[in-house]
Amino acid sequence: MKDVDLSLGIAVKTYLDDFLKPEWSAKERDQNKATYVERYLPHSLKFKEDLDVAFKFFDAVYEGVMTLGDEIKAEDKTAWSEAKAYLDTRR
Amino acid sequence: MESLEQNYIDGVMGSKELLLYDKIGDAIINPPNAADWEKKALTGVVKPDLIAQLKVSPDMFSDALLMVGTSFLPPFPPLQVESIISQQPYTLIDAINLLRTSEKSVTNTCSAFRDILDKQDPKWLDKYRKAKMLVKHCVTVEVSGRIIVREFESLTSDNIEYLGLQLPAELYHYLSKAMIGPRLMNSFVSLQSIVFPTLDGVVSDEYKHLVTRDLVELKEEAAALIASRIHRGYQFKDINMKFWFDDSLNTGLTHRNMHVKVNQVTDAWLVQDTDLKAQEKAVGAPSGKISFAALTLQNKDFAASTISKEKSEKPEKREKAAPLNTKPEILSNALWRLFHLRKFTNDQHELTSWGKALATTLKVIAPEIQKHGDVHHLEEAAFLAFELIRFNILNSANRHTELIGGPLRGSDSDKSNCLLIGRTSCLLKLRHGNIGYTGPLSKNFLSFHTLIKAVRETDRDLLEAITASMFLNHQANRLSRDGKVRNDFGDLGRRYVLSLRYFNTFANTIPTAFHS
C-alpha cells in the first residue's frame, strides 16, 4: 500500500533533535540506534535502514536543488546547503 | 407508460404536478391519506374536467400549476404573502386569479409583483422559464429502453440550462474500476470543487495561498482535459471552489480558455512500446516509473523522437499515431504528459531546469531504489519534493513554533536545519508494525503533512484526468488485443503514482491525541 505519512519525518526530527549527540563516535552512533528504537519506536520494523534511506534521500534532493539557478530563492538554496552540512556531522 | 398502446399500467398515482405532462393521460390518482384508508376509497383528478371547471385554457392551467410550485420550481412568492392572498394556504385558483389580472401572462404577473420578487426571489421568472422548458422537453424512456427527449426537433442549444447533463457512461465505468477517483467527476456533476477540512485544522498563510492560488491552475488543467472530451455544454461551465475555512471566498475554476493548450501539450506524447523497450536498458529503470520518465529525457535525441508524428512541424511528415495498448505505454505517456503540464519538460520534450533537478535527484537515489524497491516510495517522493519546493513549501521557513512537536534543541540554525531534514523525510515511509503507530507525535509536522497532501491530491487528479482523457479520446485503446473491453483499468489506477490511499491509521490518531 502506498501512502504518505509523516511518521518517518517525525522519527528523523526526533532522532536528530532529541536523541543524537554530535560528540558520539561512529561506533556509538551505530550502537545507540537500537536504544532509539527501544525508546521511541519499539514497533518500527527496520528503523536503522529507513533512517539511512531518509538521509540519502535528503542528499539526493539536495543534489537536485543545487542544480537549480534562480528558479528558487537564494535563501532557500542556502538553507539546503546549511542543512546538508548539519546532517553530514550527524550521520 | 399510460400513453402506450399496450396496457402496462392501469393508472398513475402521484402529485398534481404530473398533470403538467400531456403524456400522462387524463387522470391522476391522489396518494391516499388517513381518511381514504378508513373509507377504503381513493380520490383522483380528471384533467379535462378540472380545466372545464376552472374555465381556463390548457396553457393557462399548466402555468398556474407551475406557479403553485413543483418539485423543480419554488412557488410564486406573492402567493405566500397574506396581504395578497388572505386565505392561506393558497390554492390553484389563487394562481389563476393572479394570472387573470395580468393578461394571463406569467411574465406580466411577475412585473406586477416585481417589488416582492426583487426581495424574495429575483430569479423566479428565469426559474419558471427553465421549468416550462423542462416540461416541454422532458426525458422519457421508450419500451425498447431508448431514452428520448420530447420534441427533440425544437430543442434549444442551451438545453443544458434546464435539462441538465449526465456525464458519459464511460467515465462512470472508469470510476467503478477505480482507474479514476470521484473528485473530478463530482466537480462536474455539482459544478463545485470543495476543499475539505484538514486533519490539523490549521489555516496557515502558506496553506491558504497554496489551496486558493497556487493549486487552482492545476485543477483548471484537469478540468479542461475532461471538459474538452465530453458534452460541449460543460466546456463553458466554470466550477466554483468552496473552502472549508472561509465561506466567503469566491474562486472559480475557469477552464474554458485552457482546452486548446492542455490538449496540445498532452496530445504530443504517444510513445509506443518498441521505443520504450529500447530505453529501459539505457537508463536502467522499468518503463512506467518516474525514474524512467525523467532519465530517458536526458537523452536529447530520444526526447526529440517522442514528439508525436501527428504533431510534426512539417505537414508532409504528419501521420496518424496508433492508439496505446500496453500498460507500460499508457503509464509512461501519462507520466510524460504530467511532466509536461507541470513544466518538468518543455515543448521540445527536453527537461527544464526543474526536470533536470528531478533527474539529478533520481539518479543519486537510484541505488536505494534498486535496493529497496518501492517500500519508501522514493520516486514519488522525489517528484513531490520538487513540486513542493516550487510552491515554496519544502524549505525551512514558516516554522510555526506555536505548533508543538517542532525541533527545540541547539541553535536557531540547528533547529531550522533539523526541520528541513525532517520535512523532507515526511515524503518517505517508515516501516512500522501493523498495529497502529506508536511513536512520537507532532502537530507541527501534521500541519506540514496537510500541505503535502494538498499538492499530492491535486497532482493525482491531474494524472487521472490525463489518463481518462487518453481513453476518452481513443489515444489509448479501450479494448484489449482479443477485442474485449480491457479489464486492467483498475490495475492502471493503482499502478500510476500518487495513488489514492494517503490516509493511514497514524494520521488519524494524531488529532485525537492533540485534542483530547
Side-chain angles (χ1 to χ4, degrees), chain B residues 413-424:
Chain B
S413 81
D414 280 350
K415 285 181 219 164
S416 88
N417 293 333
C418 179
L419 187 68
L420 181 56
I421 298 163
R423 284 177 170 178
T424 311

Side-chain angles (χ1 to χ4, degrees), chain A residues 2-3 18 43 45 50 71, chain B residues 353 377 409 431 433 501:
Chain A
K2 282 183 178 182
D3 49 15
D18 270 6
H43 295 284
L45 301 175
D50 293 347
E71 290 88 0
Chain B
S353 304
H377 36 80
R409 284 161 194 80
R431 283 169 286 180
R501 303 184 187 176

Side-chain angles (χ1 to χ4, degrees), chain B residues 56 82 256 263 411 444 481:
Chain B
V56 290
E82 262 184 55
R256 65 184 75 185
N263 283 304
S411 67
N444 195 296
R481 292 208 194 276

Side-chain angles (χ1 to χ4, degrees), chain A residues 64 67-69 71, chain B residues 294 297-298 300 303 339-360 386 390:
Chain A
T67 68
L68 291 169
E71 290 88 0
Chain B
L297 296 184
Q298 287 182 314
K300 285 202 171 157
F339 274 21
H340 198 160
L341 284 173
R342 295 299 308 123
K343 301 183 183 72
F344 285 94
T345 75
N346 59 19
D347 291 345
Q348 286 71 51
H349 290 192
E350 290 163 354
L351 294 172
T352 60
S353 304
W354 289 104
K356 283 176 190 158
L358 173 62
T360 305
F386 287 98
R390 192 155 33 170

Side-chain angles (χ1 to χ4, degrees), chain B residues 15 119 157 233 344 452 515:
Chain B
S15 97
K119 233 185 267 165
S157 57
F344 285 94
I452 301 177
H515 296 151

Side-chain angles (χ1 to χ4, degrees), chain B residues 251-502:
Chain B
T251 309
L253 300 182
T254 316
H255 53 81
R256 65 184 75 185
N257 301 325
M258 292 181 142
H259 297 162
V260 176
K261 189 194 99 188
V262 291
N263 283 304
Q264 263 172 1
V265 166
T266 55
D267 289 352
W269 293 94
L270 277 169
V271 186
Q272 307 280 326
D273 236 355
T274 41
D275 300 325
L276 298 178
K277 286 277 170 298
Q279 288 299 314
E280 281 185 338
K281 277 203 187 116
V283 297
S287 54
K289 295 280 185 184
I290 291 178
S291 292
F292 178 83
L295 298 176
T296 47
L297 296 184
Q298 287 182 314
N299 178 342
K300 285 202 171 157
D301 294 335
F302 175 72
S305 77
T306 59
I307 298 174
S308 165
K309 291 200 175 70
E310 280 181 49
K311 301 285 161 193
S312 174
E313 280 173 16
K314 293 177 188 141
E316 68 275 13
K317 283 200 169 172
R318 277 182 211 154
E319 55 182 86
K320 183 95 187 121
L324 306 172
N325 282 303
T326 67
K327 256 184 280 193
E329 277 176 346
I330 294 168
L331 293 168
S332 300
N333 283 286
L335 269 180
W336 276 321
R337 289 173 178 209
L338 178 71
F339 274 21
H340 198 160
L341 284 173
R342 295 299 308 123
K343 301 183 183 72
F344 285 94
T345 75
N346 59 19
D347 291 345
Q348 286 71 51
H349 290 192
E350 290 163 354
L351 294 172
T352 60
S353 304
W354 289 104
K356 283 176 190 158
L358 173 62
T360 305
T361 295
L362 287 165
K363 216 170 189 171
V364 175
I365 205 68
E368 299 307 307
I369 299 171
Q370 290 264 322
K371 203 152 91 190
H372 302 289
D374 206 26
V375 290
H376 304 95
H377 36 80
L378 282 160
E379 292 176 71
E380 183 182 311
F383 174 81
L384 279 175
F386 287 98
E387 283 286 74
L388 291 162
I389 291 170
R390 192 155 33 170
F391 290 128
N392 276 325
I393 300 287
L394 184 57
N395 50 35
S396 50
N398 305 313
R399 275 157 56 180
H400 291 286
T401 45
E402 76 283 6
L403 300 174
I404 60 163
L408 295 169
R409 284 161 194 80
S411 67
D412 200 54
S413 81
D414 280 350
K415 285 181 219 164
S416 88
N417 293 333
C418 179
L419 187 68
L420 181 56
I421 298 163
R423 284 177 170 178
T424 311
S425 310
C426 281
L427 295 164
L428 303 173
K429 184 155 175 65
L430 171 81
R431 283 169 286 180
H432 191 275
N434 208 3
I435 55 159
Y437 178 74
T438 55
L441 303 175
S442 164
K443 183 144 185 185
N444 195 296
F445 275 58
L446 182 64
S447 185
F448 188 73
H449 173 256
T450 291
L451 303 171
I452 301 177
K453 187 165 165 274
V455 174
R456 187 172 193 267
E457 272 182 19
T458 311
D459 271 328
R460 167 74 186 194
D461 286 350
L462 187 53
L463 192 56
E464 287 179 4
I466 288 168
T467 316
S469 92
M470 237 187 232
F471 280 104
L472 288 168
N473 197 30
H474 196 56
Q475 290 172 334
N477 212 333
R478 303 170 183 104
L479 306 177
S480 51
R481 292 208 194 276
D482 58 7
K484 292 187 183 143
V485 175
R486 60 189 309 151
N487 58 8
D488 58 356
F489 289 120
D491 197 39
L492 276 173
R494 284 184 294 280
R495 266 175 208 247
Y496 53 65
V497 289
L498 313 163
S499 85
L500 289 166
R501 303 184 187 176
Y502 25 76

Side-chain angles (χ1 to χ4, degrees), chain A residues 19-66:
Chain A
F19 185 74
L20 181 89
K21 303 271 178 291
E23 60 271 21
W24 287 346
S25 69
K27 202 176 158 204
E28 280 172 315
R29 288 174 193 202
D30 192 55
Q31 284 169 348
N32 288 342
K33 277 173 194 160
T35 320
Y36 178 87
V37 170
E38 222 170 275
R39 201 184 297 166
Y40 292 92
L41 281 168
H43 295 284
S44 60
L45 301 175
K46 290 182 173 175
F47 177 71
K48 219 166 119 177
E49 217 175 79
D50 293 347
L51 185 72
D52 182 54
V53 169
F55 288 172
K56 284 180 173 147
F57 178 68
F58 181 85
D59 293 344
V61 179
Y62 162 81
E63 294 293 339
V65 169
M66 288 304 121

